[in-house]
Amino acid sequence: MEQKQFNKFFQSYSNADVDKKIELYCSTQGLTEGQYMQLLRAFPVNKIPQLEKALR
């Protein structure tokens, strides 16, 4: 995803609740590995098990 587009996406991701973050993380296509890592760093650590479950 282009950086300008990702910045806009990341802002909405950052403001989303946990369920929406999981939905965005799992369904958004075209992200680079670095962009996925940036999303993970912005994800609440105590909710990682929910994300892992959604990814299975």
Side-chain angles (χ1 to χ4, degrees), residues 9 13 18-31 36 39 43 50-56:
F9 170 78
Y13 174 87
V18 171
D19 290 332
K20 185 66 176 177
K21 282 180 178 171
I22 290 171
E23 178 186 333
L24 291 169
Y25 189 92
C26 293
S27 65
T28 304
Q29 296 182 355
L31 296 172
Y36 274 115
L39 296 181
F43 197 83
Q50 282 181 261
L51 178 59
E52 290 174 333
K53 185 176 181 182
L55 290 169
R56 291 185 196 152

Side-chain angles (χ1 to χ4, degrees), residues 4-19:
K4 186 175 181 181
Q5 185 181 6
F6 177 74
N7 290 343
K8 186 181 245 187
F9 170 78
F10 185 75
Q11 187 172 12
S12 63
Y13 174 87
S14 295
N15 294 328
D17 64 19
V18 171
D19 290 332

Side-chain angles (χ1 to χ4, degrees), residues 33-49:
E33 184 177 332
Q35 289 169 338
Y36 274 115
M37 292 303 297
Q38 193 170 347
L39 296 181
L40 274 178
R41 286 191 287 275
F43 197 83
V45 175
N46 63 330
K47 301 294 183 179
I48 293 289

